[in-house]
Each structure stands twice: as structure tokens, then as C-alpha cells.
Amino acid sequence: MRKFFLVLWLLSNLSGAGVESQNASYKEVFRELNIVESANSLLADKNVLALKNSEYSRVIERQFAFFSILKELAVQKNLPDSMLYLALIESNLDVTATSPTKAAGIWQFTLRTGREYGLKIDEFTDERRDPVRSTEAALRLLFDLKERFGSWYLAILAYNCGRTCVANAINKSGGKRDVETLLRSDYLSDEAKHYIYKIVTAAAASKMGRFSELYYTSLETKDFAEVKTPPSTALGEIAHILGIGLGDLRLLNPQLKFDFTPPYEYFVYVPKELVREFDLRFWAFNRRGFLYERKNESLERVLAKFNLNEEELARFNTNLSSEILVIPHTKQDGEWFSKTGVKSGESVERNKSVRSIFR
């Protein structure tokens, strides 16, 4: 409900904002991004009030919580507020976003750049979709670009079209780095020019009517925290222990590709207020299960093989058509490991149906 009223507050303030407020907003954005005010004629959208449209408000409302994460991390690193709008323009703050070139996540990292900046990307996890780790990586990248080119607006351009693109544009302009020269020239693509225009416009719109101040001060810090898990832990197991839905836990962990953690020690995000509950109950509960590769078996055959019904299996798997399923412990068979010929604690070969054991 608070989100709804904040969005309404934004829209009402935008609709009543005057030219003076608009100019002040642009001045603030220009100052943050190291842009000279004379570039106003190139970057200031006289129709900025059009950003009160429903598409903009839907993005803000839908991804409300992510801005608090971005803001918290940006404040720690002293990143200008306006730079956060790269994420909005890149992906609409959608962790599931994937570009035609396979860039992924809020910050649209490519595989190469993501790994270069410390994100783990493998068969089991893709941290480009982790809002916290990807933001930390994006901030490192942006500060590297700022250090290389000397200004935030050049860092924005380099984030969009690459270091080489910006360096070549500067060389072709005779070493000139000011935004007016670069935007008036043919040395940058129209896409790159439009990119910085969109970021400046979105940032200016958000600052009108003191929306940014209300927005950020009304938010608390992120309401989830990391907990360490052993290799190949079923998310359903964690959800059951914490008394939350598996779907809710999956929403907190978009970096995980399956309903279980990777086959190495990893972390998951859980609601912050349940961290102590996890610490107290997880190891004591010690629920066991294993990963099963179906190899074209029907769901009915899998259920019959392990004496399960569909409801029991769905507690540990969000997608029952997945090639790999988490098979939970069942009441019918206390020695259920004997069904697969694998003893508790025993590792198995990757090419076998049972790929790992939860410990």
C-alpha cells in the first residue's frame, strides 16, 4: 500500500511541477554526472513531464524494493544517485531480463564482463541475476570507467558502448571530452547518445518534487540476509524449516538455476527476521534428500518409484517437468536411500541418476 501512495505522490508532483523545478532537477543531475550546464539544450527534455506515464510508474512500483538495495550499496561507495538509473534503463530493474546478446540481470552483464568482475556463472548459478552481487560488480565497473575517462557521463557512455568506443570517439574529436562535442559529432552511435539522454531524463524526473528524498528515506535497508548452506541443499528443505513457501524463497534467490544449491558450499538469501531461525533449526533438522535425473521418465513413474504424491514433490520443486528433481525423504520408507542403492553421505558419479547427496 505504501508503494501505491508513493507512486501516486510522484505522479501528482510531476504533473504540477513547473519549469523552475524542472530546471533545478536537471542542474542537479548535470552536477552529479560532471556535465556542463551548457549541454542543457542537448540533454534536457522539455517534455520530461511525459515521464509520468503509466509505463514509468509501473516499473517504479513493480521493482520498488530493488531501489533500496541499489541505494544502500551506492551510498556505501559514494556513487551519485543519478548513476543508479543505468539499471532502470538497462533492464527496468528486472533480474530475469536477458538481451538478444545474452547479457543478463539488472545491470545486463555479459558473461565475460560478469566473470571479470567476480560474478560466479556456471551450470548451477548465475550471479548476474543476484541484485546484490551484480550491483556490487556494477559499481566496481563504473568506478573503473570513471577512473579511466575522468567523468561520470563518459563512464555512462562506456558502460553502454564499451571502453574502445568512447576512447575512439575522444581521439576522433581531437582529444575533446566534453559531452556537447561528443553528442554533436558522428563519433558515437545514435544508440549511445540516446542512452545517456534517457538516463539524464529519468534521473531528472525522479528528482522533481523531492521524490527521490521521500522515496529513499521511506525505505529501510534490504530485508533479507545471506545464510551459508552445504553443497546441494534443497530450497524446499530450507523453506520448510523456515515456514515459508518455496516460491517465495525462489524469488529471493534468482541467481539459482535449480531448486537446490550448487554442489559446493554456497549461500542463499532468506528473510532477515528468519536468520536466527535458520541457524537454530537447519543443522538440527538435518533433513536429507537427493537429486534425481529423470532421463525422460514420466512424472507418474517418478512418483511411483519413490512413494510420493504430486503435492509432496511440489513442496521441493517449483517445476515438476524439470529434468532434475529434488526427491525428499518420505514417511513410507525411513531407509529411502536404499531405493537408489546409494547410502547416506555417499557421493555419486555425475552421469548417474542420483547426482549428489544432501548432507
Side-chain angles (χ1 to χ4, degrees):
M1 182 63 70
R2 182 180 64 178
K3 295 189 293 185
F4 175 74
F5 284 114
L6 278 176
V7 171
L8 286 182
W9 193 94
L10 166 64
L11 301 186
S12 64
N13 273 271
L14 280 175
S15 61
V19 174
E20 183 178 346
S21 174
Q22 181 171 303
N23 289 340
S25 298
Y26 272 107
K27 285 182 180 179
E28 185 177 354
V29 173
F30 287 178
R31 177 185 55 79
E32 289 183 357
L33 300 183
N34 315 126
I35 297 174
V36 295
E37 286 191 31
S38 58
N40 184 76
S41 61
L42 286 173
L43 289 171
D45 183 1
K46 304 307 180 185
N47 297 311
V48 66
L49 298 184
L51 278 183
K52 68 180 186 295
N53 62 44
S54 59
E55 180 181 356
Y56 183 79
S57 63
R58 281 199 301 269
V59 171
I60 293 293
E61 182 175 4
R62 185 175 65 248
Q63 307 296 0
F64 194 77
F66 283 136
F67 257 50
S68 64
I69 299 172
L70 270 59
K71 176 63 176 179
E72 180 183 354
L73 294 171
V75 167
Q76 293 174 6
K77 300 295 184 181
N78 199 29
L79 184 81
D81 282 353
S82 296
M83 296 294 289
L84 297 179
Y85 289 87
L86 270 76
L88 180 66
I89 301 305
E90 285 283 345
S91 66
N92 278 345
L93 300 177
D94 183 359
V95 295
T96 68
T98 303
S99 75
T101 59
K102 305 303 182 183
I106 288 177
W107 294 94
Q108 290 292 280
F109 274 106
T110 62
L111 277 170
R112 178 179 177 180
T113 306
R115 286 170 173 154
E116 179 184 350
Y117 280 84
L119 297 178
K120 184 179 289 296
I121 306 168
D122 59 24
E123 181 183 358
F124 302 95
T125 186
D126 187 344
E127 291 182 348
R128 294 177 298 173
R129 303 192 188 281
D130 181 324
V132 177
R133 279 169 168 70
S134 67
T135 297
E136 291 172 338
L139 297 190
R140 290 193 295 272
L141 171 55
L142 287 169
F143 275 100
D144 284 351
L145 295 173
K146 166 68 159 52
E147 182 177 1
R148 174 168 179 177
F149 293 107
S151 66
W152 285 119
Y153 67 83
L154 289 176
I156 290 173
L157 289 170
Y159 195 94
N160 174 254
C161 67
R163 296 174 176 88
T164 302
C165 165
V166 174
N168 288 342
I170 292 172
N171 289 335
K172 290 177 181 179
S173 66
K176 294 182 178 180
R177 295 169 172 264
D178 62 282
V179 71
E180 291 178 280
T181 297
L182 295 176
L183 293 186
R184 291 184 188 279
S185 74
D186 295 326
Y187 308 141
L188 291 171
S189 67
D190 289 340
E191 178 187 352
K193 295 175 183 178
H194 193 52
Y195 184 75
I196 191 169
Y197 166 81
K198 287 190 292 185
I199 290 170
V200 168
T201 305
S206 74
K207 292 178 182 297
M208 295 174 67
R210 294 174 60 248
F211 169 71
S212 183
E213 178 182 345
L214 173 65
Y215 188 91
Y216 291 132
T217 56
S218 65
L219 286 172
E220 299 176 355
T221 56
K222 61 180 184 292
D223 55 359
F224 55 89
E226 288 183 19
V227 294
K228 287 186 178 181
T229 62
S232 303
T233 299
L235 296 185
E237 176 182 346
I238 299 172
H240 177 77
I241 290 170
L242 298 180
I244 61 177
L246 174 58
D248 293 333
L249 190 60
R250 289 289 285 145
L251 286 175
L252 284 176
N253 294 275
Q255 76 280 7
L256 296 177
K257 296 182 178 180
F258 300 101
D259 289 332
F260 48 86
T261 63
Y264 42 80
E265 188 176 85
Y266 200 62
F267 71 93
V268 296
Y269 294 119
V270 301
K272 186 177 292 184
E273 68 272 15
L274 296 179
V275 170
R276 178 170 172 77
E277 185 78 4
F278 177 89
D279 291 340
L280 290 174
R281 298 191 62 196
F282 180 76
W283 300 106
F285 192 79
N286 197 26
R287 194 175 179 87
R288 287 189 172 92
F290 61 90
L291 310 184
Y292 183 74
E293 189 171 12
R294 295 168 66 170
K295 294 185 176 179
N296 298 319
E297 286 182 294
S298 68
L299 178 62
E300 291 73 19
R301 183 171 180 178
V302 173
L303 293 174
K305 179 179 291 188
F306 298 105
N307 292 333
L308 294 166
N309 60 47
E310 189 169 331
E311 182 180 355
E312 289 172 329
L313 195 61
R315 279 180 49 204
F316 287 77
N317 300 271
T318 54
N319 180 12
L320 294 183
S321 62
S322 175
E323 176 191 359
I324 305 170
L325 293 172
V326 177
I327 305 298
H329 171 70
T330 66
K331 294 179 181 179
Q332 292 90 336
D333 187 358
E335 298 296 330
W336 56 272
F337 280 107
S338 63
K339 292 180 180 293
T340 61
V342 179
K343 296 181 180 179
S344 175
E346 182 177 320
S347 61
V348 294
E349 295 295 329
R350 179 175 171 77
N351 61 353
K352 292 184 179 179
S353 291
V354 183
R355 309 221 302 199
S356 61
I357 299 296
F358 296 137
R359 299 172 184 265

